[in-house]
Amino acid sequence: MKSITRQKSLEEVEHQLEGLERVYIIGCGTCATMTRTGGREEVLDMKERLQEMGKMVTGWTVIPTACDDMTEASLNENTGFIQSADCILVMSCALGVQKVGSYISKPVIPALDTLFIGVEDGPGYFHEVCDQCGHCVLGYTAGICPITACHKGLLNGPCGGTNNGKCEVDKEKDCAWTLIYQRLNEQGRLDLMRKYQPVKNSQIVLRPRVTIIS
Amino acid sequence: MAQSFKEALNSGKFVVTSEIGPPKGTNIENMRHHIDILKDKVDAINVTDHQSSVMRFPSIGGCLEIKEHGGEPILQMTCRDRNQLALQAELLLAYTRGIRNVLCLTGDAVPVGDHKEAKGVFELDSVQLLRAIRQMESGKDMGGNDLDGSVEFCAGAIVTPEANPIEPQLIKFEKKIEAGAEFIQTQAIYDLDNFAKFMDYARQYPVKILAGIVLLVSARMAKYMNENVPGIFVPQHLIDEMAEAPKGEALNKGIEIAGRMIAELKKYSICDGVHIMAIGREEVVPDILAAAGIDNHNK
């Protein structure tokens, strides 16, 4: 499971950096490297782009996993370059941005947008697997998530927009409920699809979401 | 109007409904005109709910206009734009204003419409909305709280008899009936043999089925729907018939085809009625009924 990210436009990066001339860049060696949005190569490319904008890049690093506790140690190693910067441009998902921000009082600027939590099916092809809805229904849906795989997140079967097993929003995308039907049928478990699924509880963990594991 | 839609459904007569689409804006003259044309010709008039996810004057506003003009409205209600609170509140309003019929729909996806960045709600689906109505009828809201004055609706839903694959749709159709759907208006059907086969299956359920009739206005429209509209199949012989119509006569040919289909459905008692969708040509619905041999339907 990975955080799937996309680089913001250079215009937006520049807009966020308004008034901030000295920039330290942080990439991430895990998800953002795999999605080629914030690995070593992209960080070096961003360094050049920033210099073309007239910014001064005080330094850069690629933290192995920006969202874990090792981030603090990595930041400590680079204290000098970070201290001489006006801000930190983080090329990781929002988890890494927030983790970095928790250790540093300087402005922390995201260079990426976090799109979804997904997996890579083939080279460069990622799909969302979990919306973290708080009440898993995969046991009723042959292991295919109707919350993420169905555009409307329907729980009781397909809408009328499905056509030849495809979704009404994109003819290239599979209809989740056609897939669920086929797999339940193969398993001889269509009774699960006939069962009424009640409205989901949208407040299982109240936002801001926090949980304490004792 | 002589009788309510529910009474018409239960009377054993061949029921006819049609529909209007509210305007994009506050000029409701054309909608009023369509209501005037339809209200005495059909048993009930559906009002679409931001059809195709295009923002418009609301369905309930159109239904109130129909009530004020002495017609019988069917409130189309999608789950696309409202959460539990908003859906229930609208049902309370509808009931107090004499609106007694609701068509429960999931709703089109937001990105197919004209507010492509808007949030799609879909907290409920059509089956859950049907159940919510039945719960409100018992005097409780979806939160389990007592209502001070409950509701009573003739609730319906839709089905797509030409969907491919059909099996998942039929499972949902059965869930809608279990959830309390009293009537079903189908997606457009054109192949009556296919539809008769669907009805052989559907007859086993305690629900009234109104066949969807979409007026063809050109061969091009028929081909377009075949390629782009899920669950619509216009057979080649009808496309040819439309194409062979003399210049300027395509609309009349479409009226003739729709009338012929309705007459056949009625003659052989294939289903319980029809739902005529003229999509912008509401003024010709009386002509379609005349072509079907259904005149002065409510007299």
Side-chain angles (χ1 to χ4, degrees):
Chain A
M1 195 165 88
K2 305 288 181 197
S3 263
I4 310 304
T5 50
R6 181 164 62 194
Q7 280 199 8
K8 287 179 177 288
S9 68
L10 279 178
E11 288 73 26
E12 191 181 348
V13 170
E14 190 169 15
H15 187 68
Q16 293 184 99
L17 292 175
E18 218 172 85
L20 303 165
E21 300 310 319
R22 297 167 63 86
V23 182
Y24 186 82
I25 309 172
I26 291 178
C28 175
T30 310
C31 305
T33 292
M34 190 189 70
T35 53
R36 294 192 287 279
T37 49
R40 187 173 184 277
E41 208 173 299
E42 293 78 36
V43 167
L44 290 172
D45 184 63
M46 180 61 77
K47 178 171 171 270
E48 269 183 44
R49 299 282 90 77
L50 294 183
Q51 286 164 342
E52 283 164 14
M53 281 177 206
K55 304 287 181 189
M56 154 72 94
V57 176
T58 65
W60 61 272
T61 186
V62 176
I63 297 175
T65 303
C67 62
D68 79 14
D69 288 341
M70 291 303 288
T71 295
E72 187 175 19
S74 180
L75 294 175
N76 287 338
E77 281 173 20
N78 297 286
T79 303
F81 300 114
I82 291 172
Q83 285 312 318
S84 69
D86 297 329
C87 67
I88 320 296
L89 183 71
V90 184
M91 300 181 70
S92 76
C93 73
L95 279 70
V97 177
Q98 294 188 47
K99 194 73 180 174
V100 170
S102 71
Y103 296 123
I104 297 175
S105 57
K106 287 179 185 291
V108 171
I109 311 293
L112 311 183
D113 287 317
T114 306
L115 301 177
F116 55 85
I117 304 299
V119 295
E120 187 172 24
D121 296 330
Y125 183 90
F126 300 92
H127 88 272
E128 187 182 18
V129 289
C130 181
D131 190 42
Q132 294 137 341
C133 72
H135 184 213
C136 195
V137 296
L138 289 171
Y140 306 111
T141 57
I144 297 162
C145 176
I147 306 298
T148 52
C150 165
H151 175 79
K152 298 170 187 171
L154 302 179
L155 291 174
N156 281 294
C159 71
T162 176
N163 205 14
N164 299 317
K166 298 295 176 185
C167 175
E168 78 176 336
V169 298
D170 185 342
K171 286 178 184 169
E172 300 299 313
K173 288 181 178 169
D174 291 325
C175 165
W177 276 102
T178 304
L179 298 179
I180 293 168
Y181 168 81
Q182 287 165 347
R183 199 177 290 177
L184 285 174
N185 192 28
E186 285 164 15
Q187 295 173 351
R189 304 183 81 206
L190 278 178
D191 55 312
L192 290 175
M193 189 165 161
R194 295 180 200 282
K195 186 173 144 47
Y196 172 68
Q197 291 294 339
V199 180
K200 257 189 177 301
N201 178 356
S202 295
Q203 306 293 347
I204 290 174
V205 182
L206 302 191
R207 284 173 194 267
R209 288 176 174 176
V210 173
T211 189
I212 298 160
I213 296 163
S214 54
Chain B
M1 187 141 299
Q3 58 184 353
S4 71
F5 176 56
K6 186 164 184 153
E7 286 165 349
L9 281 178
N10 293 328
S11 70
K13 75 188 268 197
F14 191 78
V15 174
V16 178
T17 58
S18 189
E19 72 181 35
I20 57 168
K24 190 173 193 69
T26 54
N27 180 357
I28 59 174
E29 286 313 309
N30 202 35
M31 181 176 76
R32 280 186 178 143
H33 176 57
H34 290 154
I35 291 169
D36 280 336
I37 290 169
L38 295 174
K39 67 186 171 78
D40 296 320
K41 293 282 183 185
V42 298
D43 294 296
I45 306 169
N46 288 43
V47 187
T48 54
D49 180 12
H50 308 298
Q51 193 168 27
S52 303
S53 302
V54 171
M55 193 289 294
R56 290 169 178 275
F57 188 86
S59 174
I60 194 156
C63 288
L64 293 173
E65 282 292 319
I66 293 171
K67 283 301 290 182
E68 284 168 23
H69 287 73
E72 177 76 343
I74 297 177
L75 176 68
Q76 290 199 184
M77 196 171 234
T78 71
C79 299
R80 179 190 53 231
D81 312 314
R82 284 157 293 202
N83 72 356
Q84 294 184 38
L85 280 74
L87 287 167
Q88 292 178 98
E90 195 158 316
L91 289 165
L92 296 179
L93 169 63
Y95 183 78
T96 62
R97 300 301 168 93
I99 297 164
R100 292 290 183 269
N101 315 299
V102 184
L103 183 74
C104 300
L105 306 158
T106 296
D108 292 319
V110 170
V112 306
D114 70 348
H115 283 60
K116 295 190 185 297
E117 297 187 0
K119 185 177 175 76
V121 179
F122 300 111
E123 185 185 12
L124 271 64
D125 60 32
S126 50
V127 177
Q128 293 162 339
L129 179 57
L130 283 160
R131 290 206 177 221
I133 288 174
R134 294 305 176 224
Q135 172 147 341
M136 291 175 77
E137 287 179 336
S138 77
K140 300 270 190 196
D141 69 13
M142 291 182 76
N145 311 293
D146 289 333
L147 291 171
D148 180 10
S150 64
V151 299
E152 196 179 341
F153 289 110
C154 178
I158 64 158
V159 72
T160 307
E162 293 277 10
N164 179 31
I166 186 69
E167 294 84 359
Q169 297 286 334
L170 297 184
I171 290 174
K172 192 153 187 188
F173 168 80
E174 290 164 27
K175 287 171 101 165
K176 288 174 176 180
I177 294 161
E178 277 169 33
E182 295 161 76
F183 69 96
I184 296 284
Q185 292 172 320
T186 79
Q187 173 60 289
I189 55 114
Y190 290 97
D191 187 313
L192 296 189
D193 291 338
N194 283 356
F195 183 64
K197 280 180 206 143
F198 168 78
M199 284 306 302
D200 285 343
Y201 150 84
R203 278 278 177 225
Q204 64 185 302
Y205 297 100
V207 68
K208 302 290 182 183
I209 302 213
L210 311 186
I213 303 291
V214 167
L215 173 69
L216 293 175
V217 297
S218 65
R220 206 171 120 241
M221 172 200 180
K223 285 184 215 156
Y224 176 86
M225 290 198 301
N226 274 353
E227 281 162 24
N228 294 291
V229 184
I232 291 193
F233 165 64
V234 187
Q236 190 59 42
H237 69 89
L238 289 182
I239 298 174
D240 293 342
E241 203 178 335
M242 288 300 294
E244 284 158 15
K247 202 171 158 58
E249 287 296 313
L251 178 61
N252 286 335
K253 179 53 77 178
I255 292 168
E256 180 194 320
I257 290 170
R260 193 171 72 210
M261 286 170 54
I262 295 167
E264 197 165 328
L265 290 166
K266 187 177 181 208
K267 183 179 173 191
Y268 297 106
S269 301
I270 294 173
C271 54
D272 303 294
V274 286
H275 176 60
I276 303 170
M277 293 166 272
I279 312 177
R281 306 286 182 126
E282 284 73 14
E283 68 279 358
V284 307
V285 170
D287 301 328
I288 294 172
L289 290 173
I294 300 174
D295 260 333
N296 298 320
H297 186 62
N298 285 316
K299 302 292 180 223

